[in-house]
DNA sequence: CATTTGACGCCAA
DNA sequence: TTTGGCGCCAAAT
C-alpha cells in the first residue's frame, strides 16, 4: 500500500512533458478529491529534482511554489512549451 | 497522540 | 473583477 505522498510522487512523475496538472487533479488521482492542500504539502516536503513537480500548478494556472525556485519553475514550463 | 501549518479550491459578497 | 471566508487533507512539530 502506497502512502498518499508516494502516490503523489508517482502521479507527478507520470505527468508527460509539456503538460501540467493542478494540485486538485493530482489529489483526485491520489485518491482524495479534496486533498489539494495535502498534495502541495507533500511536494513541498519532497526535495527530489527527479520529481517534475514544476508541472503541478494551481487550478487557474497560477504557479504556486517550487523546491528549486519559482523563477526556475516558470522558466522550465515555458521551456517545455507550457504557455498560457 | 494532539495541534499547527500550508505549493489548494470553491463560493459568496 | 477582486477580496474574504470555509472546507478539506496530510506532513511536521
Amino acid at each position: 500500500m502506497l502512502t498518499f505522498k508516494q502516490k503523489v510522487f508517482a502521479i507527478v512523475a507520470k505527468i508527460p512533458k509539456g503538460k501540467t496538472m493542478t494540485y486538485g487533479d493530482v489529489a483526485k488521482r491520489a485518491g482524495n478529491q479534496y486533498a489539494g492542500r495535502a498534495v502541495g504539502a507533500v511536494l513541498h516536503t519532497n526535495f527530489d529534482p527527479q520529481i517534475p513537480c514544476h508541472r503541478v500548478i494551481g487550478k487557474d494556472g497560477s504557479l504556486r511554489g517550487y523546491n528549486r525556485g519559482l523563477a526556475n519553475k516558470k522558466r522550465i514550463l515555458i521551456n517545455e512549451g507550457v504557455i498560457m
Side-chain angles (χ1 to χ4, degrees):
Chain A
M1 173 58 182
L2 295 175
T3 60
F4 186 82
K5 65 179 189 179
Q6 290 293 325
K7 290 193 208 171
V8 170
F9 293 141
I11 294 163
V12 174
K14 286 168 199 227
I15 301 176
K17 173 176 171 277
K19 244 234 159 121
T20 57
M21 274 186 124
T22 71
Y23 294 93
D25 251 357
V26 176
K28 191 171 170 183
R29 282 250 198 149
N32 291 300
Q33 184 178 8
Y34 304 96
R37 280 189 107 126
V39 173
V42 169
L43 291 179
H44 189 210
T45 50
N46 180 72
F47 282 77
D48 189 330
Q50 293 193 87
I51 303 293
C53 45
H54 59 266
R55 292 185 187 151
V56 185
I57 58 180
K59 194 38 167 56
D60 72 340
S62 310
L63 303 186
R64 280 298 175 185
Y66 189 44
N67 48 8
R68 297 194 63 266
L70 271 175
N72 207 332
K73 174 172 183 176
K74 186 160 130 196
R75 217 165 81 197
I76 296 169
L77 288 174
I78 296 170
N79 199 292
E80 295 202 348
V82 181
I83 314 167
M84 289 231 313

